[in-house]
């Protein structure tokens, strides 16, 4: 099996046009550039490993400063000579192909990688020896699921008994023991979730470090609650006293939220709301803070509003649909909820608008593996940007790094893995998932060409 998978990995390299890594280093003595103001918006042509961007609310254009674009990418195979770019000292190689809609990945305590294939409705397990260029085994852990995305292991620690899976309409759990490649039994429903009917379908989940809380993220049904209009305040909205939450109604009930339950799915309540589409959840390994990567709304122009990654505060309200990035009112809901203007939390790190941040992870090798990144990366965040469609000039289609100082972000982010854009009209990869393997390598899933990539540290020389 291992030799067959190695052949597949080699075939992938050929299929993708002999894609190779290119190290994009600043010139000798040159600091990594930091783009600010309007320069930080830019587009894919500026992308390069090490380039930093810092966007602030003072940089925001007015709504409709540019026309709303419909500019979805054409998916192509890698052009001849296409290069993925990583920082100096790193390598990036094809790892696995032939997947079906590979999405989020999570590492089990024994080192196996669990992968959600949303389109195929299944969870796969990938087992790999340290430093191996291809998996030893790839098995189907569970199938017949409804667009699975989030994956978690319970209880937290070295010996979980359950694998939790976030389907689009439910949280399920499968009996599990370390090293299982196939589920030991049928899934047990834990929580029923709002059914997605054309809206955001991904659901992520994470457990608190003590295992007492199960956090679940659910995106909105609509873009900007276009059909919600003023009327009876009691019927249309509620204000949860003591939590500074503005909550939506109708088909948006319990959406655009992070919900929290106990591990058995009881004691449901809203943890935070106004998050249009919190796709990726993650807990910082040192601080224990809950983080979220959020896709903001469309239709307001090329650079508005920026997507974001943020620590999610309990009781926090992040604005959707009435406001964005603080007290900036969405013109489509002007005057509807003035009572909420001063209650909107400001996110930590703003990203280029319409970049579509999906899964995220914190770098935590767990041991000094042969591919482990330098110590400077420990505790930093990696986020997969799926890429824009509502922007006249493309952005995203890459993996970025957020540097943290003892768990606290600086408000900037840095390109890490770039090169998936072929030209202004087409792309050959769309990153979705990021996970740190047991040996310290960073695995990246992308559902454009249904592949996994492996980024490893090779040394400063």
């Amino acid at each position: 099996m291992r030799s067959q998978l190695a052949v597949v990995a080699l075939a992938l390299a050929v299929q993708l046009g002999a894609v190779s890594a290119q190290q994009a280093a600043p010139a000798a003595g040159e600091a990594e550039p930091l783009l600010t103001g309007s320069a930080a918006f830019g587009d894919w042509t500026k992308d390069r490993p090490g380039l930093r961007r810092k966007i602030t609310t003072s940089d925001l254009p007015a709504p409709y400063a540019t026309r709303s674009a419909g500019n979805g990418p054409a998916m192509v195979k890698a052009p001849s000579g296409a290069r993925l770019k990583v920082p100096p000292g790193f390598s990036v190689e094809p790892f696995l192909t032939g997947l079906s809609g590979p999405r989020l990945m999570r590492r089990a305590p024994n080192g196996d990688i669990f992968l959600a294939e949303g389109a195929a409705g299944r969870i796969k397990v990938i087992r790999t020896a340290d430093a191996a260029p291809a998996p030893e085994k790839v098995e189907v852990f569970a199938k017949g699921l409804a667009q699975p995305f989030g994956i978690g292991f319970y209880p937290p620690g070295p010996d979980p008994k359950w694998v939790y899976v976030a389907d689009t309409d439910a949280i399920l759990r499968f009996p599990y023991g370390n090293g299982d490649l196939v589920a030991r039994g049928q899934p047990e429903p834990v929580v029923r979730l709002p059914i997605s009917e054309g809206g955001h379908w991904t659901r992520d989940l994470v457990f608190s470090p003590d295992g007492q809380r199960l956090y679940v993220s659910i995106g909105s049904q609509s873009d900007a609650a276009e059909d919600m209009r003023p009327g009876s305040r009691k019927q249309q909205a509620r204000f949860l006293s003591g939590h500074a939450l503005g909550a939506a109604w109708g088909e948006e009930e319990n959406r655009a939220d992070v919900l929290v339950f106990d591990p058995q799915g009881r004691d449901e309540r809203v943890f935070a709301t106004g998050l249009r589409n919190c796709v990726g959840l993650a807990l910082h390994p040192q601080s224990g803070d809950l983080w979220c990567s959020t896709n903001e709304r469309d239709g307001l122009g090329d650079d508005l509003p920026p997507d974001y990654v943020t620590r999610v505060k309990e009781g926090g309200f992040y604005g959707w649909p009435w406001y964005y990035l603080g007290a900036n009112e969405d013109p489509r809901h002007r005057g509807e909820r003035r009572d909420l203007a001063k209650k909107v939390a400001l996110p930590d790190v703003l990203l280029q608008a319409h970049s579509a941040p999906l899964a995220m992870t914190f770098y935590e090798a767990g041991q000094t593996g042969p591919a482990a990144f330098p110590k400077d990366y420990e505790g930093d965040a990696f986020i997969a940007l799926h890429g824009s469609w509502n922007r006249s000039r493309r952005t995203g289609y890459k993996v970025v790094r957020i540097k943290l100082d003892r768990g606290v972000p600086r408000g900037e982010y840095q390109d890490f893995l770039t090169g998936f854009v072929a030209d202004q009209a087409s792309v050959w990869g769309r990153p979705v998932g990021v996970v740190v393997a047991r040996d310290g390598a960073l695995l990246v899933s992308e559902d454009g060409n249904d592949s996994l990539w492996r980024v490893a540290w090779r040394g400063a020389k």
Side-chain angles (χ1 to χ4, degrees):
M1 181 60 147
R2 182 176 179 179
S3 61
Q4 291 175 344
L5 290 169
V7 170
V8 169
L10 179 61
L12 174 62
V14 175
Q15 171 190 336
L16 293 181
V19 176
S20 59
Q22 175 175 309
Q23 297 176 350
E30 178 187 352
E32 295 168 339
L34 174 64
L35 301 182
T36 60
S38 60
F41 296 140
D43 64 20
W44 67 277
T45 61
K46 303 294 185 183
D47 292 349
R48 54 172 280 183
L51 182 70
R52 297 176 295 145
R53 291 179 173 84
K54 186 171 184 178
I55 299 172
T56 69
T57 54
S58 63
D59 302 323
L60 301 182
Y64 311 122
T66 58
R67 298 183 64 178
S68 181
N71 186 27
M75 286 305 310
V76 299
K77 297 296 182 183
S80 178
R83 295 176 180 269
L84 289 181
K85 302 175 184 179
V86 290
F90 289 91
S91 66
V92 54
E93 304 293 343
F95 187 67
L96 183 61
T97 189
L99 299 167
S100 180
R103 307 290 283 184
L104 180 140
M105 297 177 287
R106 292 266 158 80
R107 188 179 86 196
N110 76 324
D112 288 341
I113 302 298
F114 279 61
L115 166 70
E117 290 183 301
R122 64 189 174 214
I123 302 294
K124 282 185 174 175
V125 182
I126 302 168
R127 181 166 294 169
T128 309
D130 289 350
E136 292 181 37
K137 295 181 180 179
V138 178
E139 302 288 349
V140 175
F141 180 81
K143 59 184 178 181
L145 304 174
Q147 294 180 294
F149 190 77
I151 302 168
F153 302 93
Y154 180 82
D159 190 26
K161 304 302 181 186
W162 301 90
V163 174
Y164 280 62
V165 174
D167 266 8
T168 195
D169 58 356
I171 303 297
L172 310 173
R173 66 179 185 180
F174 295 84
Y176 172 76
N178 270 328
D180 286 353
L181 295 170
V182 178
R184 294 189 176 192
Q186 293 300 308
E188 174 184 318
V190 177
V191 176
R192 295 295 179 190
L193 299 176
I195 297 175
S196 177
E197 297 179 353
H200 298 114
W201 64 266
T202 60
R203 315 284 186 252
D204 201 1
L205 64 88
V206 294
F207 288 98
S208 61
D210 62 5
Q212 298 302 304
R213 289 181 167 189
L214 168 62
Y215 302 103
V216 179
S217 61
I218 303 177
S220 65
Q221 175 68 25
S222 60
D223 173 46
E226 300 88 343
D227 296 328
M228 296 163 62
R229 291 293 179 262
S232 168
R233 183 64 59 89
K234 290 183 179 179
Q235 292 178 350
Q236 291 192 343
R238 68 182 182 273
F239 182 71
L240 303 182
S241 61
H243 290 283
L245 297 179
W249 58 92
E251 67 178 9
E252 299 292 357
E253 187 75 17
N254 276 344
R255 303 194 63 147
D257 291 340
V258 174
L259 304 179
V260 62
F261 307 83
D262 73 10
Q264 286 71 46
R266 301 178 302 234
D267 301 329
E268 174 185 352
R269 58 189 177 85
V270 175
F271 182 81
T273 193
L275 298 148
R276 176 181 173 268
N277 188 20
C278 171
V279 181
L281 289 176
L283 283 174
H284 192 271
Q286 281 83 47
S287 69
D289 288 337
L290 179 67
W291 284 68
C292 166
S293 56
T294 299
N295 290 202
E296 257 293 354
R297 67 207 78 187
D298 302 313
L300 296 180
D302 275 0
D303 298 316
L304 201 67
D307 294 330
Y308 60 84
V309 179
T310 191
R311 293 167 291 181
V312 181
K313 303 300 184 183
E314 185 165 8
F317 170 54
Y318 291 82
W320 188 91
W322 299 281
Y323 297 89
Y324 57 88
L325 309 182
N328 293 288
E329 192 172 34
D330 190 315
R332 295 164 292 192
H333 294 283
R334 194 177 306 281
E336 292 179 5
R337 292 302 302 268
R338 293 191 175 118
D339 58 309
L340 296 176
K342 295 182 179 180
K343 303 181 185 299
V344 184
L346 188 63
D348 288 314
V349 182
L350 307 187
L351 309 175
Q352 290 162 291
H354 313 299
S355 292
L358 298 188
M360 65 178 297
T361 194
F362 292 102
Y363 192 84
E364 188 181 23
Q367 65 179 42
T368 305
F373 290 13
K375 277 293 184 182
D376 182 54
Y377 285 82
E378 193 72 21
D380 287 352
F382 286 96
I383 298 94
L385 305 187
H386 200 228
S388 62
W389 70 267
N390 189 222
R391 201 169 191 271
S392 59
R393 298 286 297 179
R394 262 177 232 303
T395 188
Y397 311 97
K398 59 187 176 182
V399 175
V400 299
R401 171 194 182 192
I402 295 178
K403 290 186 177 182
L404 304 179
D405 296 326
R406 298 181 180 179
V408 178
R410 307 174 185 176
E412 65 183 58
Y413 66 102
Q414 182 181 59
D415 289 352
F416 181 75
L417 170 65
T418 66
F420 282 115
V421 182
D423 53 44
Q424 181 55 25
S426 56
V427 303
W428 59 274
R430 304 195 71 177
V432 178
V434 282
V435 69
V436 181
R438 183 177 57 189
D439 67 358
L442 185 73
L443 301 181
V444 179
S445 65
E446 63 87 8
D447 63 357
N449 276 301
D450 292 329
S451 307
L452 302 188
W453 294 83
R454 181 176 183 270
V455 182
W457 174 249
R458 298 302 188 193
K461 68 179 180 180

